[in-house]
Amino acid sequence: MLTIYSESHRLQHGRAELIDGTLKPCFETPSRADMVLAAVRERELGDVIHPRRHGLAPILAVHDDGYVRFLESAWQRWSALGRYHDALPKMWQIRRLRERVPEQVEGQLCYYSMDCGTPLTAGTWPAITAAADCALTGVERLIGGERAAFALTRPPGHHAARDYCGGYCFFNNAAIAAQALREHGLRKVAVLDVDYHHGNGTQDIFYARSDVLFLSIHGDPATEYPFFLGFADEKGTGEGLGYNFNFPLPAGACVSTWFVALDCALEQIARFGAEALVVSLGVDTYQGDPISRFRLDSPDFVTLGARLAGLKLPTLFCLEGGYAVEPIGTNVVNVLAGFEARC
């Protein structure tokens, strides 16, 4: 399987995030991608290529123009104030506050963020545009006839909504890819999110659409991040009603329960008649992940890949979460190898 990778991911290296009430070193680090790339090469999964640049048009197809322009200029404006530490918001625009975009960068950071765990740094912009390019290059390869491709996207993307960042995510790589597949002429595209945390950003982007089916298997937001989206009764709205499926599972859910949810999701994808599949590939469902609470073990990821291959669809994998750094490479490549073995 082809892997698309950019060294620019290293430019996003946040120093700290707010977790459990204190500032702690970020869980989302460059070493995550390093371990995955090393496993790809060690297992001889296939060629590794650099992404082609695609500009901002495919990003603006799913993200708000004001939000994109904010991210493009934020560090320059932040550092012009004499601030060379990572930028984190100090408040959020919430219920009963006016939905008006502030003029200053500090206020805009608050407006366009959903949490205090997604530090904006000097290298954020080149890193996130390179990640989007990885996903878009993968799309081109699928359109060109490849059965599958792996976009080693970092930072991840599935928590990034149309106009806000959060959960370590700035641009929604999977959503950008799904939209690009549509613009290449595919009528129906499915996005399946298997990360431990709900893909709230992807849901936000496609919630009112019937041409992109979104499905997410994740920890129940009653107790798990991101808390405010991901419940089973969220089915879509308007034309999108019936094209959004959430499978929230209790923390500590066993492997068999997780795979029952996967089978339900795969059944919906087949019923939808998808012409291509984008997988938000989070492996923080692993039993040793430090910020998640499912019980999948490394061999289970081989099974996951094989089940996905059973759909017989052109498939793009975009890397999302997975914070047990030592086994992340094994777990990701197990999915991809399981997929390849079934093809």
Side-chain angles (χ1 to χ4, degrees):
M1 183 183 299
L2 180 73
T3 295
I4 306 102
Y5 168 81
S6 171
E7 284 284 332
S8 294
H9 80 87
R10 300 181 184 283
L11 299 173
Q12 172 65 13
H13 193 174
R15 299 177 185 176
E17 61 176 297
L18 185 65
I19 188 167
D20 297 334
T22 61
L23 283 173
K24 297 181 179 180
C26 292
F27 282 104
E28 205 293 297
T29 65
S31 60
R32 298 176 61 249
D34 293 342
M35 296 298 286
V36 173
L37 183 64
V40 165
R41 288 177 167 156
E42 181 181 350
R43 301 267 291 272
E44 297 181 341
L45 187 69
D47 291 338
V48 178
I49 66 169
H50 297 290
R52 189 178 72 81
R53 292 186 178 181
H54 293 78
L56 291 182
I59 295 170
L60 290 166
V62 300
H63 286 295
D64 173 74
D65 180 80
Y67 172 65
V68 173
R69 303 304 174 184
F70 158 72
L71 290 174
E72 184 177 28
S73 65
W75 182 259
Q76 180 181 4
R77 297 162 64 203
W78 179 261
S79 59
L81 299 173
R83 301 170 178 175
Y84 302 105
H85 51 277
D86 294 354
L88 288 170
K90 65 179 182 181
M91 67 168 291
W92 293 270
Q93 190 281 324
I94 61 170
R95 299 178 304 278
R96 294 184 300 282
L97 295 181
R98 291 186 64 181
E99 295 187 20
R100 178 176 177 176
V101 183
E103 295 181 3
Q104 300 297 320
V105 64
E106 183 179 55
Q108 290 177 1
L109 180 65
C110 300
Y111 183 86
Y112 288 123
S113 300
M114 79 169 190
D115 66 18
C116 201
T118 310
L120 192 148
T121 76
T124 296
W125 179 255
I128 63 178
T129 50
D133 283 336
C134 287
L136 290 163
T137 300
V139 167
E140 290 178 338
R141 290 305 185 105
L142 293 192
I143 296 299
E146 295 275 357
R147 172 73 167 83
F150 171 44
L152 210 173
T153 44
R154 183 188 169 268
H158 71 146
H159 292 306
R162 185 182 63 85
D163 59 355
Y164 62 78
C165 61
Y168 314 134
C169 305
F170 296 91
F171 287 154
N172 194 313
N173 306 305
I176 290 167
Q179 179 63 29
L181 286 165
R182 285 284 294 111
E183 293 183 5
H184 276 286
L186 277 65
R187 295 181 304 108
K188 294 182 177 183
V189 177
V191 180
L192 173 62
D193 193 321
V194 296
D195 191 279
Y196 180 79
H197 305 95
H198 177 248
N200 60 286
T202 316
Q203 175 171 304
D204 173 78
I205 289 167
F206 295 119
Y207 202 60
R209 291 174 54 171
S210 61
D211 56 335
V212 178
L213 178 72
F214 176 65
L215 312 97
S216 180
I217 307 167
H218 52 268
D220 190 338
T223 60
E224 307 301 303
Y225 182 95
F227 302 114
F228 301 105
L229 281 180
F231 295 93
D233 63 353
E234 296 160 11
K235 299 292 187 181
T237 188
E239 291 184 5
L241 184 61
Y243 296 92
N244 193 93
F245 289 89
N246 289 322
F247 301 91
L249 302 177
C254 66
V255 174
S256 60
T257 297
W258 193 91
F259 275 102
V260 167
L262 176 66
D263 287 342
C264 291
L266 298 182
E267 180 181 346
Q268 292 296 338
I269 293 170
R271 184 177 301 170
F272 175 62
E275 297 170 322
L277 174 66
V278 179
V279 179
S280 276
L281 182 56
V283 293
D284 47 1
T285 49
Y286 176 65
Q287 61 183 358
D289 196 273
I291 59 173
S292 305
R293 296 192 284 170
F294 283 164
R295 299 181 185 176
L296 274 67
D297 202 354
S298 293
D300 297 316
F301 292 104
V302 179
T303 304
L304 167 58
R307 297 274 183 95
L308 295 174
L311 289 170
K312 301 187 182 304
L313 292 173
T315 301
L316 176 66
F317 295 89
C318 294
L319 182 64
E320 301 287 2
Y323 307 101
V325 175
E326 289 300 321
I328 186 176
T330 295
N331 294 338
V332 168
V333 174
N334 277 1
V335 176
L336 305 178
F339 184 97
E340 290 278 86
R342 178 74 184 274
C343 289

